[in-house]
Amino acid sequence: MTTVVDRTLDFDRCYRALASRDARFDGWFVVAVVTTGIYCRPSCPAILPRRENVRFLRTAAAAQRRGFRACMRCRPDASPGSPEWDSRVDVVGRAMRLIADGVIDRDGVAGLAQRLGYSRRQLQRHLNNELGAGPLAIARAHRAQTARLLVESTDLPLSQVAFAAGFGSTRQFNATVREVFACTPGELRVRARSAPSSASGELTLHLPARQPFDGPALLEFLGARAIPGVEHYADGVYKRTLRLPRGSGVVTLAPGAAGLRCGLRLEDLRDLGPAIQRCRRLADLDADAPGIVDVLGDAPVVGPLTQASPGRRVPGTVDGAELAIRAVLGQQVTVAAARALAGELTAAAADAAMLADPHVPLHFPTPAAARDASSVLRAPASRRQTVHRLATALDNGAVTLDGGCDPREAVDQLGAIGGIGPWTTGYVAMRALADPDAYPAGDAALRRALADGGVTGRDAQARLAERWRPWRAYAAIHLWAHRARGADRQ
């Protein structure tokens, strides 16, 4: 077995995290032990291995490539993801987001490389140099995790699980499960603690979050902006439709232990991996919560808010194009007014979801449909024109807002569209592009919240916001929540 060490990780710091069983590092790296052939989370309760027997690696794929098996005690494949893959703007971060969304399973490595503007050889070199595994190995690790979820959470025949998880054959599926989990798929199902689902295609999963995590607050934020027919929120439970690569889906999210309970109905089970990835980004489950608290906890104005609710997250989106259109509809109006406009657009242009659900029967309009229906909006002509221009750019590919885009280029492309200013680009960067330092400049609610804290004047408020870097998006969320609570009291 190889003794290669990932040089991008600080061995002493990682070993201290391992020795203290520090769960804050789960997902940032995995711990491979050469004497047992097993890799674990840093927080695994197993006996501390000797330093000379430990290898620290950036990804589960790198560990699997070197012949290590996943620990069945700490389940490293079920840990929260690394925050850097949500927000890194380089080719490695963009590749990781696209692989998690299933691009390799659908389009192969050539398709992934084309999406990123690199050759296959260049992409392979970038990923191998930094992560210790190439795109195929990383995609294989994601397939293994999806297979485990299906084996443990459904009563599907194992041959269907293999197909749904993206494996090319049952033989490949069996070999991968045995190699990664050191047992057969049948044995993995027997070991599972959760009961099988009641019906094929209906899954109940746990989505782990990096702690601390305030699930109710996040779902409440989404619920306050829910578009009738597309989204539904009641009794702390949020539901919405999903457009997925192979079909439609419906997701139900509710607070759960150390994360969210996730119910998924999928038209095509091969969309399980992309659906989970999009739900994780929607809920910002992998955010570096301790790092955010370290900076904002003592910061002016937002410090007390952060300390009072350290698990507050920046809600993301399941569809960047949808979020951008909704952001334009929300320019210079209240949340309720933006929701009403989005409802008008949906009523005029939405298509019915294939999976029947009385609460969420519709998909949000595609960019092409939104463009064609923009003229019916009861909004100023300038706003209708901006929606039309944005939807056209999204439809023809002039603006791309998926996990594989370069966030800096995307913000520049948005800002070049007439009618879109710093508030909109900041809001889209914050929620669709997962930029932790994005800031919707000029937001009226933020200005009022800062004035409540004794900071008035645009220049003074701008200087204060600079002190919140690199977490200005999280400062904004805290300030919005503060203003919402104040409005409730009035």
Side-chain angles (χ1 to χ4, degrees):
M1 186 175 296
T2 182
T3 58
V4 173
V5 177
D6 190 328
R7 301 298 179 187
T8 65
L9 295 171
D10 184 298
F11 187 95
D12 289 336
R13 185 184 183 205
C14 291
Y15 195 80
R16 287 195 300 271
L18 174 63
S20 61
R21 309 293 194 269
D22 195 335
R24 294 177 299 174
F25 290 88
D26 287 355
W28 284 101
F29 60 87
V30 297
V31 183
V33 184
V34 297
T35 50
T36 63
I38 291 172
Y39 71 92
C40 305
R41 306 184 190 205
S43 65
C44 184
I47 296 173
L48 180 67
R50 296 168 63 91
R51 291 174 63 94
E52 61 267 25
N53 295 329
V54 170
R55 305 290 180 265
F56 296 113
L57 302 167
R58 298 289 298 279
T59 63
Q64 293 168 19
R65 184 188 179 199
R66 289 162 172 76
F68 293 96
R69 305 185 309 275
C71 174
M72 296 301 289
R73 184 175 182 180
C74 70
R75 307 300 288 269
D77 63 315
S79 66
S82 171
E84 64 180 318
W85 307 136
D86 286 338
S87 58
R88 270 181 58 165
V89 301
D90 64 355
V91 64
V92 174
R94 293 159 59 203
M96 290 292 281
R97 292 192 290 273
L98 288 177
I99 293 171
D101 199 53
V103 166
I104 285 183
D105 293 335
R106 299 189 297 273
D107 303 326
V109 177
L112 174 66
Q114 184 177 21
R115 290 279 294 275
L116 296 170
Y118 284 75
S119 70
R120 291 185 57 165
R121 180 175 297 179
Q122 288 173 319
L123 180 61
Q124 181 85 25
R125 183 171 65 250
H126 277 293
L127 294 179
N128 270 324
N129 287 347
E130 182 153 352
L131 304 180
L136 284 176
I138 296 168
R140 178 177 178 269
H142 281 284
R143 284 195 292 271
Q145 181 179 1
T146 301
R148 182 185 64 77
L149 286 171
L150 288 170
V151 167
E152 297 181 345
S153 304
T154 77
D155 53 5
L156 284 174
L158 295 178
S159 58
Q160 291 186 35
V161 170
F163 174 72
F167 289 96
S169 67
T170 303
R171 176 179 295 179
Q172 185 186 62
F173 162 65
N174 289 333
T176 297
V177 171
R178 287 184 67 92
E179 182 177 338
V180 174
F181 301 109
C183 63
T184 67
E187 291 169 342
L188 193 62
R189 175 163 283 174
V190 170
R191 293 180 185 181
R193 296 180 179 179
S194 57
S197 62
S198 59
S200 176
E202 296 184 0
L203 309 176
T204 301
L205 310 170
H206 172 67
L207 302 182
R210 192 169 300 282
Q211 297 302 302
F213 173 68
D214 190 345
L218 179 131
L219 298 178
E220 182 181 5
F221 181 100
L222 296 173
R225 292 155 179 79
I227 303 171
V230 176
E231 301 166 289
H232 181 261
Y233 179 74
D235 301 322
V237 177
Y238 171 79
K239 177 183 290 190
R240 71 156 294 150
T241 51
L242 301 171
R243 288 187 190 276
L244 296 165
R246 296 182 175 90
S248 62
V250 174
V251 61
T252 303
L253 297 174
L260 294 175
R261 294 199 315 274
C262 174
L264 279 170
R265 294 180 58 223
L266 303 173
E267 187 179 351
D268 190 320
L269 276 175
R270 290 177 296 175
D271 281 328
L272 176 61
I276 291 174
Q277 172 69 4
R278 295 177 193 193
C279 290
R280 294 194 66 83
R281 284 178 66 83
L282 173 67
D284 196 21
L285 295 177
D286 299 329
D288 182 12
I292 295 164
V293 174
D294 284 347
V295 172
L296 297 185
D298 296 324
V301 181
V302 298
L305 306 179
T306 304
Q307 293 172 11
S309 183
R312 193 175 292 280
R313 299 297 173 87
V314 174
T317 184
V318 296
D319 187 312
E322 173 190 318
L323 192 282
I325 292 171
R326 294 173 67 165
V328 169
L329 295 175
Q331 291 177 159
Q332 298 179 331
V333 298
T334 65
V335 169
R339 183 172 179 262
L341 281 174
E344 284 184 23
L345 186 65
T346 298
D351 56 308
M354 293 299 294
L355 296 175
D357 188 292
H359 295 301
V360 287
L362 302 173
H363 285 298
F364 188 82
T366 63
R371 176 198 61 211
D372 296 341
S374 58
S375 60
V376 308
L377 291 170
R378 289 180 292 180
S382 59
R383 184 69 46 81
R384 297 196 300 269
Q385 292 165 4
T386 302
V387 171
H388 188 278
R389 286 190 289 264
L390 171 62
T392 299
L394 291 166
D395 183 53
N396 64 24
V399 173
T400 304
L401 297 172
D402 63 15
C405 73
D406 184 323
R408 296 162 300 192
E409 291 182 3
V411 167
D412 290 342
Q413 292 164 352
L414 282 172
I417 296 173
I420 292 181
W423 181 89
T424 305
T425 57
Y427 189 79
V428 172
M430 182 178 174
R431 294 195 56 194
L433 303 176
D435 180 353
D437 201 38
Y439 194 69
D443 182 83
L446 293 180
R447 292 202 305 268
R448 288 192 292 268
L450 290 173
D452 291 344
V455 182
T456 58
R458 290 180 181 269
D459 291 343
Q461 291 181 351
R463 287 194 299 270
L464 176 60
E466 288 295 311
R467 298 174 65 180
W468 301 332
R469 289 184 181 274
W471 305 113
R472 292 186 301 170
Y474 293 87
I477 282 292
H478 281 289
L479 292 170
W480 279 338
H482 171 70
R483 284 297 304 173
R485 288 194 299 271
D488 290 341
R489 292 192 295 269
Q490 292 173 359

